[in-house]
């Protein structure tokens, strides 16, 4: 059981907290991000692990975890060195992750040895991924094993990175065109007052938000991502558990994701490199409850499930059409030093605009092949094309958008 008085975080800072100079030229000058809960060295708002910080609290409350536990980071170093790249040291280019987050045991070895609990916010490892769609592409001869990128078994060899969100509040506010004060106040109020320092500690500029992060899968050599002369095939994908994992046929998420992986493997085998950045922004960052409510509303409305009502139904339930905010998405591309995407496997104009707006060149845009679109997902894809999503084909007209194409609730 915890004893002693509750220590509010809202006023006095850690007396020995290292300074953070976001975007400084070296890790040493930037300073470590200390989000561990021991008070003395903390220099951020929030705690590590995004949303999983709450599970950590449960583990401590249940007596399963000592609040003082220090991670033993022996042998946990990244399998591949990423950066540093020039993008890391411009305070406005990366605002939502810590570019030095994978190399803290190197970059801040002295401070760790001196007793500061500094944790990685990025981890890089190797894996093999086996997807039925890729095994099928092998069987049909669309893909050929090379023993390097793709094995006979259908397993693709990848490097993958897990990235936790680390927000520099002045930079995040600038991306959304609001003042830092307004951003801090709204974050405070809309999380039910969860982080008082947002409004009482303007000296703390870094926030570890309680949200999901990103996972990046790389096909081929990670160092090639920063070389604009090496063909880069890339998809930035937002989580859709229903389709990605469970194969729901109401949207194109999994078929597009696996198509992108096939394109990435193909590209890497041609001497290029492939990247899939997967962001935890379930259901356009509205969450699954909202998403399922919208499905019901779409399928029960008079006239059936039609593309012309697709965005309206979402807006009726959620108040907005989309909360994914691609403004922060290009940061992970900057982390890898990407300056050019030769083949962007996406039709989303929001993603395209965010990437090109961040100064990254985009060559060809690769749309999902028609034969991969599930019948019930025709409503979604028609609505998106009519709303400005990229398509090399015909954009459906108003009459076409009124035709019910989605299944009813009972199948
Ligand atoms: Zn989906």
């Amino acid at each position: 059981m915890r004893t002693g008085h509750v220590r509010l975080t809202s006023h006095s800072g850690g007396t020995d907290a290292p300074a953070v100079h976001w975007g400084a030229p070296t890790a040493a000058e930037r300073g470590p991000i200390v989000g561990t809960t021991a008070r003395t060295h903390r220099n951020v708002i929030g705690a590590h692990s995004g949303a999983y910080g709450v599970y950590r609290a449960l583990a401590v409350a249940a007596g399963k975890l000592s609040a003082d536990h220090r991670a033993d980071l022996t042998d946990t170093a990244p399998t591949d060195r990423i950066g540093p790249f020039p993008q890391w040291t411009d305070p406005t280019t990366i605002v939502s992750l810590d570019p030095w987050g994978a190399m803290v045991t190197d970059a801040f070895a002295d401070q760790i040895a001196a007793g500061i609990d500094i944790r990685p916010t990025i981890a890089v490892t190797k894996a093999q991924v086996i997807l039925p769609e890729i095994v099928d592409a092998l069987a049909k001869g669309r893909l050929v094993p090379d023993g390097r990128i793709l094995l006979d078994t259908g397993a693709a060899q990848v490097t993958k990175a897990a990235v936790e969100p680390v927000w520099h509040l002045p930079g995040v506010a600038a991306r959304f065109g609001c003042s830092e004060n307004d951003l801090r106040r709204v974050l405070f109020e809309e999380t039910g007052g969860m982080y008082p320092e947002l409004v009482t500690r303007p000296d703390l500029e870094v926030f570890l938000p309680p949200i999901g992060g990103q996972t990046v899968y790389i096909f081929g050599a990670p160092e090639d991502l920063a070389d604009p002369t090496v063909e880069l095939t890339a998809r930035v994908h937002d989580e859709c558990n229903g389709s990605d994992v469970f194969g729901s046929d109401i949207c194109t998420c999994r078929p597009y994701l696996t198509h992108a992986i096939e394109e990435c493997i193909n590209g890497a085998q041609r001497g290029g490199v492939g990247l899939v950045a997967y962001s935890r922004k379930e259901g356009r960052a509205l969450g699954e409850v909202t998403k399922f409510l919208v499905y019901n509303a779409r399928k029960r409305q008079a006239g059936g499930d039609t593309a012309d009502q697709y965005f309206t139904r979402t807006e009726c339930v959620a108040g907005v059409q989309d909360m994914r905010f691609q403004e922060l998405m290009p940061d992970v591309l900057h982390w890898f030093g990407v300056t050019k995407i030769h083949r962007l496997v996406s039709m989303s104009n929001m993603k395209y605009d965010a990437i090109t707006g961040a100064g990254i060149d985009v060559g060809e845009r690769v749309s999902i092949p028609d034969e991969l679109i599930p019948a019930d997902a025709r409503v979604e894809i028609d609505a998106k094309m009519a709303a400005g999503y990229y398509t090399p084909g015909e954009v459906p007209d108003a009459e076409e958008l009124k035709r019910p194409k989605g299944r009813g609730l009972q199948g």
Side-chain angles (χ1 to χ4, degrees):
M1 197 181 113
R2 287 262 169 120
T3 54
H5 59 281
V6 171
R7 295 197 299 183
L8 295 179
T9 52
S10 53
H11 295 287
S12 56
T15 42
D16 295 315
V20 176
H21 301 286
W22 196 262
T26 63
E29 290 165 274
R30 206 291 307 275
I33 299 299
V34 188
T36 36
T37 47
R39 188 75 173 276
T40 330
H41 302 121
R42 278 176 61 76
N43 60 12
V44 302
I45 302 166
H48 283 300
S49 308
Y52 296 101
V54 177
Y55 284 103
R56 184 179 175 280
L58 285 180
V60 173
K64 306 283 188 198
L65 172 65
S66 160
D68 302 326
H69 174 73
R70 283 285 293 265
D72 174 358
L73 297 172
T74 309
D75 290 337
T76 62
T79 52
D80 295 75
R81 188 182 169 91
I82 312 292
F85 296 109
Q87 290 90 327
W88 292 22
T89 55
D90 174 340
T92 64
T93 300
I94 295 178
V95 302
S96 63
L97 59 85
D98 174 8
W100 308 99
M103 53 170 78
V104 299
T105 50
D106 264 353
F108 305 113
D110 292 351
Q111 281 129 310
I112 291 173
I116 305 185
D117 188 357
I118 304 169
R119 297 194 187 169
T121 56
I122 300 179
V124 183
T125 188
K126 298 281 191 194
Q128 292 190 0
V129 294
I130 304 181
L131 292 152
E133 288 87 345
I134 298 302
V135 174
D136 186 53
L138 263 180
K140 295 200 165 110
R142 294 201 308 273
L143 285 173
V144 179
D146 61 356
R148 184 177 63 98
I149 308 288
L150 185 62
L151 308 183
D152 295 341
T153 55
Q157 308 217 76
V158 298
T159 306
K160 59 179 182 177
V163 182
E164 284 175 6
V166 177
W167 286 7
H168 185 236
L169 290 169
V172 172
R175 289 277 172 94
F176 291 102
C178 62
S179 74
E180 186 189 341
N181 268 347
D182 285 350
L183 175 67
R184 284 172 174 266
R185 180 169 177 159
V186 174
L187 282 171
F188 172 71
E189 289 175 346
E190 296 300 319
T191 55
M194 198 169 182
Y195 302 100
E197 309 100 298
L198 285 166
V199 288
T200 61
R201 295 286 308 276
D203 57 310
L204 296 179
E205 292 191 329
V206 175
F207 177 41
L208 306 182
I211 59 174
Q214 293 174 307
T215 315
V216 185
Y217 283 80
I218 300 153
F219 303 79
E223 63 267 26
D224 285 344
L225 291 168
D227 183 347
T229 67
V230 176
E231 181 192 287
L232 168 56
T233 304
R235 174 167 175 78
V236 283
H237 186 94
D238 294 322
E239 175 178 36
C240 172
N241 183 271
S243 169
D244 293 344
V245 179
F246 287 95
S248 160
D249 68 348
I250 197 169
C251 56
T252 56
C253 301
R254 181 178 172 105
Y256 219 151
L257 178 63
T258 56
H259 176 61
I261 291 171
E262 185 175 332
E263 291 287 333
C264 284
I265 293 171
N266 250 322
Q269 288 183 328
R270 284 196 295 270
V273 60
L275 173 151
V276 175
Y278 189 94
S279 297
R280 297 315 184 305
K281 293 184 197 165
E282 177 58 53
R284 294 197 212 137
L286 302 168
E288 267 200 328
V289 169
T290 298
K291 182 156 100 169
F292 293 2
L293 296 174
V294 171
Y295 289 159
N296 282 345
R298 277 172 53 186
K299 290 184 179 296
R300 283 181 178 138
Q301 68 190 327
D305 189 9
T306 59
D308 71 335
Q309 295 298 311
Y310 174 81
F311 288 110
T312 312
R313 290 276 73 83
T314 305
E315 211 168 338
C316 285
V317 179
V320 291
Q321 294 179 358
D322 200 315
M323 291 203 305
R324 281 178 292 179
F325 299 121
Q326 303 298 345
E327 284 83 349
L328 301 176
M329 172 270 288
D331 285 13
V332 76
L333 302 172
H334 288 312
W335 182 59
F336 285 107
V338 170
T339 56
K340 182 173 172 71
I341 296 173
H342 301 70
R343 306 187 74 234
L344 177 66
V345 190
S346 170
M347 291 158 75
S348 164
N349 49 327
M350 286 170 280
K351 290 176 183 169
Y352 175 83
D353 291 346
I355 293 170
T356 54
I360 296 170
D361 262 3
V362 174
E364 185 188 351
R365 295 162 79 178
V366 182
S367 52
I368 186 170
D370 254 358
E371 63 271 21
L372 293 183
I373 300 171
D376 200 42
R378 200 69 240 180
V379 174
E380 178 210 84
I381 204 86
D382 282 3
K384 286 180 169 179
M385 289 192 302
Y389 270 49
Y390 168 78
T391 171
E394 230 167 85
V395 177
D397 62 20
E399 274 314 297
E400 186 68 18
L401 295 175
K402 284 192 184 13
R403 283 179 47 207
K405 293 184 180 171
R407 231 185 8 251
L409 276 174
Q410 308 308 328

